Structure formats: C-alpha cells, structure tokens
Amino acid sequence: MQYTAPLRDIQFVMHELLDSQAHYGKLPAYQELDTDTVNSYLEAAADFAQSVLSPLNRTGDMEGCRFEDGNVYTPSGFKEAYQQYCELGFPAINADPEYGGMGLSTSLGSAVSEIMGTANWAFAMYPGLSHGAIQTIEHHGTEAQKATYLEKLNTGQWSGTMCLTESHAGSDLGIIKTRAVPNDDGSYAITGQKIFISAGEHDLTENIIHIVLARLPDAPAGTKGISLFIVPKFLVNDDGSVGERNGVVCGSIEHKMGIKASATCVINFDAAKGYLIGPENRGLNCMFTFMNVARIGTAIQGLAAAEFAFQGSLSYAKERTAMRALSGIKEPNKPADTIIHHPAVRNMLLTQKAFAEGGRALVYYLSQFADIVAKGENPAEVKFADEMLSLLTPIAKAFLTETGYESANHGVQVYGGHGYISEWGMEQNVRDTRIACLYEGTTEIQSLDLLGRKVLGSQGRLLANFTKIIHKFCQEHSDDDELGQFIRPLAKLNKQWADVTSRIGMQGTQNPEAIGAAAVDYLFFSGYVTLAYLWARMAAVAKAKLASFDESLDADKALHGEYGFYDAKVKTAEFYFAKLLPRHAVHVARINAGEETLMSMDVEQFVF
C-alpha cells in the first residue's frame, strides 16, 4: 500500500485544535516556529516518507535483516534511505543546537515521527532508538561525554540504543545480572548479555552508542543497585574519530512476527569498556528521565497503525464491489455496489478513523506538555506539564497501541481474503503493530503504572489535574445546544472517573489484589474518556468553522472542500460518542466485579 501523509488533519490538530502558535509563543525557545515554518517541515517529511520510505515498507518486510558473523545487514535501500534521511536533517530536529541540532519542538518532532513511522515503522526504529541515548547523555552526561557523543548522534552519523532487558529479566529490571567492574583508568569493564535490543547492530552508521544498565560489584540488591553506562561499539579516539572495536558483539538477531526490517538483537558484552553516566546506583532514575517521551514514541506506533489501516481500508472499500446496498442500488452502472455502502464496513472504517484522528490529537496534546517540560521557564507550568505527562503517558502508550492493533485487524477484515495475503500490506500492519502492545512496558504494566503509581500513588492529585481541565471545558460549553450531545455524556463520565477511582482505592486498602484486578479495565475506561474529551474539543472547533461558511456554498464544493472536512470531523465525533464510547460501561462492569473470580482458583487447578 502506498502511504499518503494526512497533512490536512495533522495541521488541523496542531494549528486549530491545539493552537500551536499560541503554544510556541509562550516558550521563548520556540517563538520563531510559526505556522509556515511548521508546515514546511511537515511537507518535507511527507515528501520523503511517501517517495522513499513507503516503497521500502513491503520490500523490507519480505527481505528482512541478514545476520552474518556478528554483523547485521539491513534490507536493500535502507542504507541509502538513511543517508538521505540524515542529509535532510531529520535526526537533528529536536536536538540541542549546541551539539548539531535544530532545537525545534518535541511536538513538531512527534508529527514528523508519525509521518515517517506510518510510512515505514521498521525504518523509523533505527533513528528512533537514538533518542533515548541522546536524552540520557543530555540530561546526565558530563561535559566531556556530551562533547564526545552528542553531535554525531544528533546528526545521525552515529546511532544509539538502550540496553535494558535480559533473558531472565524482562520488565523487572531489579534482577538484571550484567556487571560493571572498575578499571584503573576510571572506565568500567561491562560483562553480560542483553536481549531484544532494537537497532543493536546494523550497517547504517559507523558507530553505535549503547546505553547499558549494569551492577557495580558492591551494589545493593534490587532496583536501587543499578547503574547506567555508555558503551560504544567502537571506542572513540581523543580527536573524536572511531577507534578500535570494543568488546561488544551481536550474538544473533530475533526471528520475529513483524517489523522484520528492524534488527532486534542479542548483544554480548565481554569486558567491554564503558563509562558511568549519572551517579552510581541511580541508573533507573536516570533512565526514567526520558521514559515518558519514549513511551509517547510507542504510542505513535498505535496511531500509525490505525492511520495505515484506515488508508488501505478506505481505498479498497471504495473500489471493491460486493452485493447491493440494503437500502437500494447505489451504483447502477456496476454489477454490485462498492462495499463502503455496507453498514458493517462503515463501522470498521469509522472505528479506524476515530482511533487514528483521536490518537493523533492525544499524541500531539501530550507532546505540547513535553515542549513545556523541555523549554518552559515558569516552574509551576513545568511542574504541571510534567504531572500531566506522568498521568497521560501510560494511557496514550497502552490505549493507542491496543486500539491501533484493533484497527489493524479491521484492515484485514475489510479486505476479506485479500487482507490475509501479503501484497496489500494489511497483514503486515497487524504483524508490525503487535509488538507495540509489548515493548516499552506491556499494556498490563502500563495499567498498573497508571492506577497504582500515578493515580492512587498521588492520592488522586494527578487525575484531578486532568478532570479539572475536562470539567472546565464542559462548563464553558454547557449552554451550547449544538455541542450538547458531546458535553452531557462527557461531563457525566468525568464525574464517574473520579467515583470509580475512589471505589477501587477503597477496595485496595482491604485487598491489594483489587488494584491489580481492576487496572487494565481502568486504563481502557480512562482511554475512552480521554479520547472523548479530545473528540468533543475537535467537534467544537469544527462546528465553529462550519458556522462561518456561506449558506449558499455549492453542494459539491461543500462535500469535497474545507466544509466537507469539518463536517466529517463532526460526524466522526458523533460516531465515536455513539458507537465507541459506550464500551466504557463494559470496563466499569468488569471493575465492579472485583478480583474474586480471578484469584479464587488455586494455582494447582490451572491444568490442561
């Protein structure tokens, strides 16, 4: 499938819904980012994604990566595409100008990431994994470390990874075994094995800079005894050039369900020279500096999956003929009507569209808070933005990846048997997207983080930050009859969110298992309400725009032009509230059922 960047909707969310100009105007670092400048970057990204990355999506999946004698070779065309990507300056968009970057906003970077990732997620993984390494060094590195690594990472000459997971320790990083022994020269000898390392080895860059979690010899047990180290594939000479090979070797690459053009590696460290970054035994604290932004990056994959599925499904539904519409013949010049006229197909298309456009609004909304955290000058505003990120990031990561996966499955269903074969791209989208619900913390872990740590752990304060925003929005529009179909249910659900939270909290004081039993359903409930708020806001903007059009507008122009765009936005909001938002009730019912039926069976009774 050939991807087309949805620039009109991206611009709607950035400029009309979220008022990018007002947002950037409050941040001195971004005040020169006017609408024309933002659009020029978006258009450049769209051109590159459509002309270069999209054609490599299927071929990369078919060819995959090749592993030979510790070396990984990316699919045909990837190396040339990466060189062009760097020449266009895309790796440096968000980077510090002091170290070769453009110094542009996270929110603009998120939009560019969406465009690149939807065109070819496997390709986007390679530069995407560098962001964590860059942010770690930016926030916790010494001046010498910044001078050594940042510019070449920012320009894409070098790439970076995050080496966290071990075979016996998935998300439980407190039990990692990789060790770091001090050397006489102040460096450390890093020994151990890391698995599932995305872009851990490849042929796109001349060096790969690994950020590695390891234990010092005298480190305390658990998460309080983990340190963080910079471990380059090739050591760096004093003049900044690439030196001798370090004790870092790729042992194998995984044979995966999807994103086959992205190398997922087993990396072996054999007394590799590493350099401590941040304080000893504070590695996890340093790592969490960038985790919110990293998880927003994964949320983008869910958005990308929904957008990709929608584009493919829509094109096919407008061409594929099957039976006649139930209400009568729609296309008499054809032997059957196209399937877009059938309600069941419409339901799948609108579900994809609602999750894609709603997900876009959520990702960009979060990214503006990330802008404030990065460059805000008012401490109170920075603190509030950081708290909003803390609350909404697990919702975005888990809810958007789950709904993205649902949308990808709808893509296969719309195509029918053709969706199950590889040439259309729908089955690849399902395979590529499945991982998004797993890495950067599974849906279940994100759910526990949201409910246990963020909501109950803050005594409801972080949740109240957001529910007050929703309450204020509902109050502002309480007398607007045009928006009543959105405002009334949203206000009711906003209150219910607090009530459900309080009830779970009380149950949890009696039995902690109640929190675990409720967590996933609580996250889905939270996701549906969050998207309801954003869809209500989008409907409000669209209705205001519609009211400004001349009543004598030609019907054909209205259907295909700007009027049609805003009208479709309102109708999609209506679909979301009527057909998708009611799912919240099932999750509330499941929460109310408690933990008893989950925990009553003895472990020994789980037999087959």
Side-chain angles (χ1 to χ4, degrees):
M1 190 199 88
Q2 174 60 46
Y3 164 72
T4 301
L7 288 178
R8 181 65 189 89
D9 198 64
I10 289 172
Q11 291 165 350
F12 168 81
V13 174
M14 291 190 75
H15 305 320
E16 299 177 65
L17 177 69
L18 300 177
D19 195 354
S20 61
Q21 284 303 281
H23 168 69
Y24 294 140
K26 295 176 183 177
L27 300 171
Y30 303 138
Q31 283 182 348
E32 295 183 3
L33 259 182
D34 57 28
T35 301
D36 289 341
T37 302
V38 169
N39 288 344
S40 68
Y41 280 103
L42 295 175
E43 289 162 5
D47 180 65
F48 176 73
Q50 292 164 180
S51 62
V52 178
L53 296 187
S54 184
L56 294 174
N57 190 43
R58 185 179 175 224
T59 59
D61 178 67
M62 295 172 67
E63 185 178 336
C65 291
R66 192 171 83 256
F67 178 71
E68 295 178 2
D69 300 323
N71 298 310
V72 173
Y73 301 93
T74 53
S76 302
F78 270 50
K79 196 168 187 177
E80 294 79 8
Y82 183 79
Q83 182 178 354
Q84 188 176 348
Y85 178 87
C86 294
E87 289 171 353
L88 291 169
F90 289 120
I93 283 181
N94 302 138
D96 188 339
E98 184 179 352
Y99 299 102
M102 298 182 186
L104 302 178
S105 67
T106 298
S107 53
L108 175 56
S110 291
V112 170
S113 295
E114 181 208 331
I115 293 169
M116 302 292 184
T118 312
N120 191 325
W121 189 262
F123 176 90
M125 291 285 288
Y126 290 100
L129 267 295
S130 295
H131 294 162
I134 290 168
Q135 289 194 19
T136 303
I137 296 171
E138 277 184 347
H139 285 87
H140 303 289
T142 65
E143 291 305 314
Q145 289 170 340
K146 293 177 184 179
T148 299
Y149 301 106
L150 281 182
E151 183 166 349
K152 289 177 180 176
L153 283 168
N154 286 335
T155 60
Q157 184 176 346
W158 296 350
S159 63
T161 75
M162 301 301 299
C163 294
L164 315 179
T165 305
E166 299 180 8
S167 59
H168 62 284
S171 298
D172 186 1
L173 295 174
I175 58 174
I176 66 168
K177 295 180 180 178
T178 300
R179 62 187 185 275
V181 178
N183 293 322
D184 292 338
D185 63 358
S187 66
Y188 294 80
I190 311 297
T191 301
Q193 184 183 83
K194 299 291 184 176
I195 66 168
F196 299 159
I197 308 306
S198 298
E201 175 63 29
H202 54 78
D203 58 353
L204 303 182
T205 60
E206 66 178 13
N207 204 359
I208 301 173
I209 311 303
H210 302 286
I211 305 296
V212 184
L213 286 179
R215 290 188 178 280
L216 295 168
D218 57 351
T223 57
K224 294 182 179 179
I226 300 174
S227 300
L228 202 58
F229 299 87
I230 300 173
V231 186
K233 174 182 173 181
F234 291 97
L235 298 175
V236 181
N237 297 321
D238 291 340
D239 63 359
S241 62
V242 172
E244 66 182 31
R245 180 70 184 256
N246 203 358
V248 181
V249 177
C250 178
S252 64
I253 59 175
E254 303 295 348
H255 303 283
K256 301 176 297 183
M257 177 180 179
I259 54 171
K260 294 183 178 183
S262 170
T264 304
C265 305
V266 174
I267 301 293
N268 297 316
F269 299 90
D270 184 10
K273 182 168 284 192
Y275 307 92
L276 181 69
I277 181 167
E280 292 184 1
N281 302 325
R282 300 283 289 173
L284 279 186
N285 302 75
C286 295
M287 186 186 73
F288 276 107
T289 299
F290 62 84
M291 287 307 292
N292 279 335
V293 174
R295 286 170 175 166
I296 292 173
T298 308
I300 291 173
Q301 186 175 5
L303 153 61
E307 177 64 36
F308 188 91
F310 174 63
Q311 288 194 18
S313 299
L314 181 61
S315 297
Y316 188 78
K318 286 182 174 181
E319 295 176 0
R320 175 71 170 181
T321 56
M323 302 178 288
R324 290 297 186 185
L326 297 175
S327 57
I329 295 173
K330 304 299 181 184
E331 297 168 283
N333 59 324
K334 296 179 180 179
D337 292 325
T338 50
I339 62 174
I340 196 170
H341 295 289
H342 301 314
V345 174
R346 286 284 183 105
N347 183 65
M348 291 185 283
L349 290 171
L350 283 165
T351 297
Q352 294 167 330
K353 180 177 171 64
F355 284 143
E357 294 177 10
R360 181 171 297 118
L362 177 54
V363 166
Y364 294 10
Y365 182 60
L366 276 179
S367 298
Q368 286 196 345
F369 288 121
D371 288 345
I372 296 169
V373 170
K375 296 297 181 181
E377 297 186 351
N378 182 315
E381 291 178 356
V382 170
K383 180 176 182 292
F384 181 81
D386 191 47
E387 290 182 346
M388 287 293 289
L389 275 177
S390 294
L391 174 78
L392 293 177
T393 296
I395 297 174
K397 192 280 176 187
F399 187 73
L400 295 190
T401 55
E402 292 284 355
T403 55
Y405 184 59
E406 176 186 340
S407 300
N409 279 308
H410 285 318
V412 173
Q413 195 74 8
V414 169
Y415 277 78
H418 288 284
Y420 197 67
I421 60 178
S422 61
E423 66 187 86
W424 300 97
M426 293 298 105
E427 62 86 30
Q428 181 188 339
N429 193 30
V430 171
R431 291 187 289 103
D432 286 353
T433 302
R434 187 64 186 91
I435 185 60
C437 304
L438 305 177
Y439 55 21
E440 294 295 343
T442 65
T443 298
E444 292 72 20
I445 287 174
Q446 298 297 327
S447 301
L448 285 171
D449 179 49
L450 171 67
L451 179 56
R453 184 179 299 151
K454 304 299 174 54
V455 176
L456 299 179
S458 69
Q459 289 78 50
R461 183 173 54 83
L462 297 189
L463 177 62
N465 285 347
F466 187 42
T467 56
K468 286 177 182 176
I469 290 173
I470 298 175
H471 178 69
K472 182 180 178 182
F473 172 78
C474 290
Q475 279 193 319
E476 290 173 349
H477 296 279
S478 59
D479 297 328
D480 190 336
D481 292 337
E482 285 283 308
L483 292 175
Q485 61 180 314
F486 310 117
I487 300 302
R488 286 188 294 272
L490 178 59
K492 183 178 178 180
L493 284 172
N494 194 44
K495 181 180 182 301
Q496 188 177 14
W497 200 352
D499 295 341
V500 168
T501 303
S502 178
R503 188 160 62 250
I504 296 171
M506 292 179 65
Q507 292 170 348
T509 60
Q510 303 298 317
N511 183 359
E513 299 287 10
I515 296 172
V520 172
D521 288 295
Y522 183 85
L523 186 141
F524 273 95
F525 173 88
S526 303
Y528 283 113
V529 178
T530 299
L531 248 63
Y533 163 65
L534 291 165
W535 267 114
R537 282 187 58 180
M538 287 190 279
V541 172
K543 279 185 172 289
K545 292 286 187 178
L546 288 170
S548 68
F549 281 89
D550 190 329
E551 292 183 1
S552 64
L553 184 67
D554 177 80
D556 186 61
K557 290 181 179 179
L559 181 64
H560 297 99
E562 285 291 281
Y563 185 95
F565 173 84
Y566 293 116
D567 188 49
K569 189 66 67 176
V570 173
K571 288 174 179 174
T572 308
E574 292 171 345
F575 171 84
Y576 180 85
F577 271 76
K579 294 289 190 177
L580 297 179
L581 185 57
R583 294 181 182 182
H584 83 274
V586 174
H587 295 292
V588 172
R590 288 167 55 91
I591 290 169
N592 291 342
E595 80 287 346
E596 184 177 353
T597 56
L598 288 176
M599 308 306 294
S600 62
M601 188 182 293
D602 189 89
V603 170
E604 298 305 320
Q605 292 179 280
F606 283 87
V607 295
F608 57 89

